[in-house]
Amino acid sequence: MPSIVVKIDSSTFTSPEKIEQIADRLIEQKNSGVQVIAVVPGLENFDDFLFPFSPILSDNPSSRESHVLEAINAQIGSSLLVIAINKKGGQAVSLHGWQAGIEAVETDGNVLIGSIHHERVTEHLDNGKIVIIAGSQGINHQNDTLVFGDGGTETTAVAIGAAVGAQHVEFLTVQAGVYTADPTGVERARLLHQITYDEMLELAHLGSTFIHPRAVELAKIYEMPLIMRSGTENGEGTLIKGEVDMEKNLIVRGIAYEADIIRLTVGYDSYEQSSLSAIFTKLSENGINVDIIVQAVIDGVKPTVSFSIAKEDFAESIKVLEKSKPELGFSFADFEVGLAKVSIVGAGMVSNPGVAARMFDRLRKENIQVKMVSTSEIKVSVVVPQEDMMRAANSLHDEFNLAEELINK
Amino acid sequence: MPSIVVKIDSSTFTSPEKIEQIADRLIEQKNSGVQVIAVVPGLENFDDFLFPFSPILSDNPSSRESHVLEAINAQIGSSLLVIAINKKGGQAVSLHGWQAGIEAVETDGNVLIGSIHHERVTEHLDNGKIVIIAGSQGINHQNDTLVFGDGGTETTAVAIGAAVGAQHVEFLTVQAGVYTADPTGVERARLLHQITYDEMLELAHLGSTFIHPRAVELAKIYEMPLIMRSGTENGEGTLIKGEVDMEKNLIVRGIAYEADIIRLTVGYDSYEQSSLSAIFTKLSENGINVDIIVQAVIDGVKPTVSFSIAKEDFAESIKVLEKSKPELGFSFADFEVGLAKVSIVGAGMVSNPGVAARMFDRLRKENIQVKMVSTSEIKVSVVVPQEDMMRAANSLHDEFNLAEELINK
């Protein structure tokens, strides 16, 4: 019997009604003739529950126990969903990471999924059970529980899907699928029927919270089709796979935008003194994520490097730069706040060098100043004043005709 | 190096300060030159956390998942305690039931501790770690987590102690140890230095909430010394063991009392119709605990059987009796509310038949009416009007000179 994996959204665990709704959905899927595995995240209010103990939990709790507590949260979710399914007459069983045979491997401080010994999962499926797996957790060779970090639950879902040879992995979200742009800001945004792994990777990296890049990357490797769809409403959602059918002619597939960007610029007296590696290593060591990096080395001009960071990292970045000034050797630092990033994404761009030009042209016509630019094979990002962000997103959505439904789907 | 097991009280997990206090204590014990294992219960407010999901969790959640959720609660406690110890510079590690090698065996609907494969516990101890074990849980042969029911955490502590050959098992409580009577009601109550397993069993059965009989029984089998002491104050507490040193001359060792007792009486038209077995089986099937049972079969008088139940079981008992009247064959039922039970306990009673007489005599002098009597080898219980309960307890405490400290300790 074919099997599917369903990744449950964390919004599910905010009310008993929502849990019951997902329970109904999983029972229906099971009754339609497929084996069903669900991978669940933890409860959003678990931190509130632990809040009274924050004097103990704050500043550097033992890493091992932080992992254990995080794993426990998803375990609570798995039991709640199993109980809801069983109350409705379905047959479900919860498996924690160690019971589902999920191996965790530590590499350079990251915890990755090793292999999955899925015998027990398969056995329960063959016995007609809906298998509910606590997400983002596995055990290492010492039988210690570890969690997989950001995107761990989504990555677990894809890994389990690959291990059992599932037809596809479904991601239930609060939205109907992947849109050409965020429909809450771009009125004419349209639901995409299909999108490639690479496009999804760029959209996710650009601040879309739909699905973690790590999960998409794994799906790409295993060629596991992903479906993003609403957890509460019917609808086909968006199919994510290697190649998209008959839509290649649509060069730009989506618009992403992100507010609260800050540009930092560091200048050196001479080229010899500048060391890009040193500055970004220092920032990374302090947990500061740098997004767009632009380096300018012009004859007769002092070399500068500009980079964008998120607003919440600003204070820490300034602190790190001030403290490390002697060792990093720069002569001045400057910043600009109140910026935003707007990007166009599409696998079709690879062979269309004119796309970026068309983008800049439209922004110029809209009188929107471009502060920084970054390009990849399937993406062009610009940093613009935050007050122009939505106007930029909407005008680019129009410019590339994203609102037009094509014949194919 | 000798080892000890410490059973943590659930009151510990009500504030970070209390957790830190216990963390300090365990570190101190470790530094004094013993290997330390602690067994922890769950958090008292875990149910509040799950309350929003009660529509799902109420009425018959899957038994398997109820076990899992209960086990998870103690796992949270174990992580909190480990983090607190490690923050203070100690070295601790949490082990859940499956990691500590605790086997759970299901027998007639009860979950019992099978064997304990304590290699991992011993390994961590030998590496200088304080081992914090999540209480009342183990795994069966299918690797499913099961919890051990009432008294499970205390029983786990004793079982672990027996498995690793601990010197003793300490039970940290909110009281300084075991008293001759509840000090909140009997002013002259005195802390006992020593008490036998059997005496402790009777005291626990009599409504003292100190320690579950199941744990005492296990300690008795393995001859594991138990120490009951305050978790927050210094003090030697009470040592519980097989034979008590030089205190045998003290015939009565303690007074216990329990309010809100109800007497039910069922009468039959003839002896042939009465079936004690049938009525108590029926009550038991409906989860009603019967304590004292008194049967009177007097020639020329209709046979009756009286028994005492707790107030909270009253409504259900009446319902069960009414519904089962035809099949149980009794002709009338009667009840009396507003009663209490007062008991004297002491291993020395075995060879002193006059103790019960002395008890009744004192109660008669105090004008306290005895409604029911029940005796065992080391205990005499009487049911009296509730308004006389404290007067009965205090006068019996005086009668048997319990306030007097003996030379020995």
Side-chain angles (χ1 to χ4, degrees), chain B residues 344-356:
Chain B
I344 57 175
V345 174
M349 278 191 218
V350 183
S351 47
N352 274 274
V355 173

Side-chain angles (χ1 to χ4, degrees), chain B residues 75-88:
Chain B
Q75 294 169 3
I76 296 169
S78 69
S79 281
L80 290 177
L81 186 52
V82 166
I83 292 170
I85 292 171
N86 291 354
K87 272 188 79 169
K88 286 173 175 289

Side-chain angles (χ1 to χ4, degrees), chain B residues 58-69:
Chain B
S58 57
D59 54 271
N60 280 327
S62 325
S63 160
R64 181 181 184 278
E65 300 303 324
S66 312
H67 279 260
V68 173
L69 283 174

Side-chain angles (χ1 to χ4, degrees), chain A residues 138-154:
Chain A
I139 49 170
N140 64 13
H141 288 304
Q142 286 79 47
N143 276 353
D144 285 326
T145 293
L146 296 171
V147 291
F148 298 129
D150 288 349
T153 303
E154 298 173 344

Side-chain angles (χ1 to χ4, degrees), chain A residues 13 16 45 49 52-53 55-56 58 62 64-65 68 79 82 86-87 93-94 96 98-99 120 142-144, chain B residues 13 16 45 52-53 55-56 58 62 64-65 68 79 82-83 86-87 93-94 96 98-99 120 142-144:
Chain A
F13 294 111
N45 63 338
F49 168 62
F53 304 104
I56 288 175
S58 57
S62 325
R64 180 182 185 277
E65 300 303 325
V68 173
S79 281
V82 166
N86 291 355
K87 272 188 80 168
V93 64
S94 75
H96 300 174
W98 67 277
Q99 293 170 318
R120 185 150 186 217
Q142 286 79 47
N143 276 353
D144 285 326
Chain B
F13 294 111
N45 63 338
F53 305 104
I56 288 175
S58 57
S62 325
R64 181 181 184 278
E65 300 303 324
V68 173
S79 281
V82 166
I83 292 170
N86 291 354
K87 272 188 79 169
V93 63
S94 74
H96 300 174
W98 67 277
Q99 292 169 317
R120 185 153 186 214
Q142 286 80 49
N143 277 353
D144 285 326

Side-chain angles (χ1 to χ4, degrees), chain A residues 267-295:
Chain A
Y268 298 85
D269 282 338
S270 70
Y271 185 63
E272 287 71 37
Q273 279 169 350
S274 73
S275 167
L276 282 181
S277 158
I279 196 164
F280 293 114
T281 302
K282 183 61 71 181
L283 289 168
S284 161
E285 278 169 5
N286 286 276
I288 297 159
N289 279 320
V290 171
D291 185 9
I292 296 179
I293 300 174
V294 178
Q295 194 191 15

Side-chain angles (χ1 to χ4, degrees), chain B residues 7 37 46 50 53 75 86 100 137 168 214 229 243 264 283-284 288 300 313 325 353 379-381 407:
Chain B
K7 190 261 165 186
I37 301 166
F46 191 61
L50 291 178
F53 305 104
Q75 294 169 3
N86 291 354
Q137 58 190 269
H168 64 255
R214 196 171 158 187
R229 63 166 54 133
E243 294 236 329
L264 283 173
L283 290 168
S284 162
I288 296 158
D313 286 336
K325 200 179 170 190
K379 176 189 75 168
V380 182
S381 298
I407 315 154

